[in-house]
């Protein structure tokens, strides 16, 4: 029974409200005993004459108070619920809950978890087992069956992944598990996106005779994703997609970031009404575009909204072909000498091993160049020419330079214009024309914004035949109007002809700066043709994970689950190879989630022969009102008691009587309020307080502690790091700490630990106000928290551009009473408490260690440390200390340092020893400098 937004679990009890008129009648004629006052002269008569007196009726306000109290008790017994949630209990002997946790579920994962929690709670109420499977986890992940509590624990431990779903494999496993549970109910919580092989996947899931199907999908597919980026001649182009069926137009901003996370360019993507594809161009200089390391969509917190970039989006691969054999004998006369000098700073140059065109052209094409430059190449073998023409049609850029061979070879279709036979010689014995200068570049050509060289002249060239489109195809010309550079489109590619030789014999253009600018501009016209396919008989080198894209789109260090990537065509994004950058500082390979052919298609609900219930993703906003109703009834009962005592005169007879009545009323009210508090909390568990035995055990051994963030990878690294530091402390000092402890700052007692290591994970939930207050109290009472943002190569703690981890740290510190901070001074106790350490590196190096500032400290010449060096309540770094300390079961380091330096790990461990000694001794080290003076004053 439900009267929104209020419903009742036992609605039949509400019929008790029909008894309220009877209760009103009884209360109306049974008022409280009236106050009796005896006049002293009539006291004798009162003893003689006694008659029974009955009050006429109860006051209306007291009757109303008691009726309201009775109504509250009846409604409380009916189990009232405010904002009741939609119940969809699974029918059958078990519940198979299958949840998509791929990249498309990251933006509203909390809402999906709340929906799954309700389904598991309903299964727990019916006492049926739960099979729980996720479509973006390891293939061998345990799927149960679990009881309701175990299923909830597994649900809380699972996070969205930045990878596509694998429904076919997971649904097949669930179908096999359901073979032993005939008639089970199935619940599918999808991300709303269609995946390959959905039809056979649903067939395998529903083939075991399910009793019912619960279907949950988003009302609309909200994510917008990036599918392609291209460094083009006039800008950096972006392509974004969204699911079809969105009638409303949309606009969003995309930002380009460098390798340090700094935003250096923007572009606006606009979707028209009904459009599912949008493009934009970042019009910035070529040099700035080469600094792009990643592109991300603002406001989209998922892995599909980020694309990382590698060298393929920056430098172009250029093939060089020449038939000349004088390269080594006279390099300055080599046709390719000036071309190599001009292109080598911003292009990868490749050359064939054989000058024979029948072999040279296929060798170059097999390496997938963006552009091929041919110097004085005449007639080509037919098979090689055909393959070269197909390459141009597919998007390649062919640049040809003139020469004697080309002038005498005649015309072919791999020239932008038709040529006249022979050459044109300026200033020769039979020519009246002097060498010609270069004219202004045409406004419609690619060289329009370049300054024409004033000191360049041409003495020899090949001439183009006049045609109707010769003006449109002229990119540069001489002062007399003859074309110097011509170009034309061929399919998706282009053909460009320089009507001079690439040496200084025909013109001095190749030895000018304009030659470099013109070739660079032509290179920008070309398009990268993709990666080189590895031969079948070769084993490509695997690339280690370098920087990964998290489920929320942030660039993070690789998790322990990431494995090296073997480059090759069709390499998929998987659990072992998530999207991100693979390689090292020397070079990286971009492994992005979506390709240019990707589309976001809505999923189709499967056709099932069983009852289907559709539910919506929503948070559980229901509240049980039984406790508040009973609490209100108890408060009214206390008020009723006070009213009866007041009307009976008990409160007015004597002071002692009034005090006694007041004490009784206060005790009754206190009891009522206490009961109401207990009922309002509805038997919820209070914060556990450790008993005496646990407290004694906790303080008997010094232990290092770390904050449990809820992210399994981060917590595992924190524990391994503190274990490594503990082992180093045992080996190098007399200190023998116990095993590191993980603490929940919202529940666990923090006073047992002198130092708590807190790795900042932007993917973890923000601590609530109560947890922040506990941390604040811990720091005020002498504890120290070491915050580690682990983002030295994203953004420093003090920089203007903040990484997600630094922004999360600022949000946390904004709610704490933080003293003024400063980087650790060179004369600070922390730098010499055990080792002499000038800096505190971790897995990374470069971020300073921040401590409480000593604002009034002085430093005399005869004092080696600063005054007032008590223990700082806060330490902050971005160097990933736990990552440098972390060891495996065999004592070997888990992660390499950046840069890879063995001594950096040693310095990180020594810094950890100094931090522990500083925490445990405080200003003891500072006070030692006074010992000689004190002994001298004592005469010793």
């Amino acid at each position: 029974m439900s009267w929104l937004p209020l419903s009742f679990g036992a609605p039949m009890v509400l019929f008790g409200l029909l008894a309220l008129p009877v209760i009103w009648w009884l209360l109306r004629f049974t008022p409280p005993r009236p106050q009796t006052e005896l006049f002293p002269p009539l006291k004798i008569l009162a003893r003689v004459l006694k008659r029974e007196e009955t009050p006429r009726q109860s006051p209306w306000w007291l009757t109303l108070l008691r009726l309201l109290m009775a109504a509250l008790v009846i409604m409380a017994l009916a189990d009232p619920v405010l904002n009741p949630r939609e119940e969809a209990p699974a029918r059958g002997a078990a519940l198979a809950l299958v949840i998509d946790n791929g990249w498309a579920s990251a933006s509203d994962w909390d809402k999906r978890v709340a929906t799954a929690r309700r389904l598991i709670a309903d299964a727990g109420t019916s006492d049926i087992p739960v099979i729980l499977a996720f479509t973006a986890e390891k293939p061998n992940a345990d799927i149960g069956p679990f009881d309701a509590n175990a299923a909830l624990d597994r649900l809380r431990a699972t996070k969205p992944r930045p990878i596509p779903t694998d429904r076919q494999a997971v649904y097949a496993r669930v179908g096999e598990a359901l073979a032993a549970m005939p008639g089970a109910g199935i619940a599918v919580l999808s991300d709303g996106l269609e995946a390959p092989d959905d039809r056979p996947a649903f067939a395998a899931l529903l083939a075991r005779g399910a009793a019912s199907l619960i279907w949950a999908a988003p009302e609309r597919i909200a994510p917008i994703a990036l599918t392609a980026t291209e460094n083009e001649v006039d800008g950096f182009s972006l392509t974004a997609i969204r699911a079809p069926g969105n009638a409303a137009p949309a606009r969003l901003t995309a930002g380009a970031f460098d390798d340090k996370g700094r935003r250096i360019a923007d572009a606006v993507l606009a979707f028209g009404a009904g459009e599912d594809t949008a493009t934009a161009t970042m019009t910035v200089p070529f040099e700035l575009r080469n600094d792009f390391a990643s592109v991300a969509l603002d406001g989209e917190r998922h892995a599909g909204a980020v694309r990382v970039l590698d060298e393929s989006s920056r430098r172009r691969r250029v093939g060089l072909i020449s038939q000349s054999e004088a390269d080594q004998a006279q390099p300055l006369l080599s046709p390719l000498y000036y071309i190599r000098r001009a292109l080598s700073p911003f292009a990868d140059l490749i050359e064939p091993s054989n000058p024979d065109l029948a072999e040279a052209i296929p060798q170059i094409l097999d390496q997938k160049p963006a552009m091929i430059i041919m110097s004085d190449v005449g007639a080509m073998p037919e098979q090689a020419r055909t393959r070269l023409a197909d390459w141009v049609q597919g998007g390649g850029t062919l640049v040809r330079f003139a020469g004697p061979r080309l002038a005498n070879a005649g015309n072919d279709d791999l020239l932008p214009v038709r040529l006249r036979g022979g050459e044109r010689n300026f200033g020769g014995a039979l020519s009246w024309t002097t060498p010609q200068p270069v004219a202004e570049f045409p406004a419609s050509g690619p060289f329009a914004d370049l300054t024409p060289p004033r000191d360049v002249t041409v003495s020899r060239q090949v001439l183009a035949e006049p045609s109707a489109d010769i003006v449109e195809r002229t990119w540069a010309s001489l002062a007399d109007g003859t074309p110097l550079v011509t170009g034309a489109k061929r399919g998706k590619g282009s053909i460009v002809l320089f009507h001079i030789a690439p040496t200084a014999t025909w013109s001095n253009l190749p030895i000018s700066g304009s030659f470099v600018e013109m070739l660079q501009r032509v290179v920008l016209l070309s398009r990268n043709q993709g990666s080189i396919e590895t031969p079948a008989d070769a084993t490509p080198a695997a690339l280690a994970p370098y920087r990964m894209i998290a489920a929320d789109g942030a660039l993070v260090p690789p998790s322990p689950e990431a494995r090296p990537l073997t480059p090759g065509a069709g390499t998929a994004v998987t659990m072992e190879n998530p999207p991100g950058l693979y390689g090292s500082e020397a070079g990286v390979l971009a492994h992005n989630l979506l390709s240019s052919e990707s589309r976001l298609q809505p999923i189709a609900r499967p056709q099932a022969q069983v009852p289907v219930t559709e539910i919506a993703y929503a948070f559980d906003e229901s509240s049980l009102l039984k406790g508040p109703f009973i609490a209100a009834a108890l408060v009214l009962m206390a008020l009723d008691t006070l009213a009866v005592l007041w009307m009976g005169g008990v409160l007015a007879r004597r002071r002692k009587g009034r005090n006694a009545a007041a004490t009784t009323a206060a005790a009754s009210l206190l009891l009522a309020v206490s009961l109401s508090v207990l009922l309002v909390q509805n038997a919820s568990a209070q914060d556990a307080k450790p008993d005496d035995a646990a407290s004694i055990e906790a303080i008997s051994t010094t232990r290092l502690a770390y904050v449990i963030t809820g992210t399994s990878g981060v917590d595992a690294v924190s524990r391994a790091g503190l274990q490594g530091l503990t082992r180093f402390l045992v080996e190098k000092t007399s200190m023998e700490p116990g095993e590191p402890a993980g603490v929940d700052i919202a529940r666990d007692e923090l006073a047992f630990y002198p130092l708590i290591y807190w790795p900042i994970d932007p993917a973890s939930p923000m601590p609530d106000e109560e947890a922040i207050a506990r941390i604040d109290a811990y720091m005020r009472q002498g504890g120290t928290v070491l915050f580690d943002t682990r983002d030295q190569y994203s953004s420093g703690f003090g920089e203007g551009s903040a990484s997600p981890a630094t922004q999360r740290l600022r949000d946390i510190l904004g709610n704490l009473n933080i003293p003024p901070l400063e980087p650790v001074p060179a004369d600070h106790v922390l730098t010499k408490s055990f080792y002499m350490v000038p800096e505190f590196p971790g897995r990374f190096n470069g971020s300073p260690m921040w401590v409480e500032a000593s604002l009034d400290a002085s430093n005399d010449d005869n004092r080696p440390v600063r005054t007032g060096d008590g223990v700082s309540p806060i330490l902050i770094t971005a160097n990933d200390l736990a990552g440098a300390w972390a060891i495996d079961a065999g004592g070997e380091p888990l992660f390499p340092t950046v840069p890879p330096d063995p001594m950096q790990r040693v310095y990180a461990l020594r810094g950890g020893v100094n931090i522990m000694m500083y925490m445990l001794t405080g200003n003891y080290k500072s006070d030692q400098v006074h010992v000689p003076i004190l002994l001298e004053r004592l005469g010793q």
Side-chain angles (χ1 to χ4, degrees), residues 640-651:
D640 180 84
T641 302
L642 293 176
V644 169
L645 294 176
W646 174 70
M647 295 180 65
V650 176
L651 301 178

Side-chain angles (χ1 to χ4, degrees), residues 17 120 160 257 261 321 351 385 424 504 535 639 732 780 892:
L17 295 175
I120 295 175
F257 303 85
I321 298 177
E351 298 185 43
R385 190 195 64 81
R424 182 188 184 190
L639 295 176
K732 301 298 182 181
R780 289 199 310 270
E892 296 297 324

Side-chain angles (χ1 to χ4, degrees), residues 108-184:
D108 58 349
W109 177 249
D110 292 341
K111 188 180 294 185
R112 299 168 191 265
V113 170
T115 305
R117 187 182 294 115
R118 294 199 299 270
L119 294 173
I120 295 175
D122 292 341
T125 302
S126 302
D127 196 21
I128 60 176
V130 178
I131 295 175
L132 183 59
F134 299 90
T135 59
E137 293 293 329
K138 294 181 179 179
N140 58 349
D142 188 14
I143 63 173
F146 308 102
D147 59 26
N149 291 331
L152 287 174
D153 291 339
R154 173 146 176 77
L155 177 66
R156 283 191 289 266
T158 304
K159 301 296 182 183
R161 302 284 187 177
I163 61 175
T165 59
D166 186 6
R167 295 195 183 109
Q168 188 172 17
V170 175
Y171 285 11
R173 289 193 62 200
V174 175
E176 294 174 359
L178 291 178
M181 301 177 179

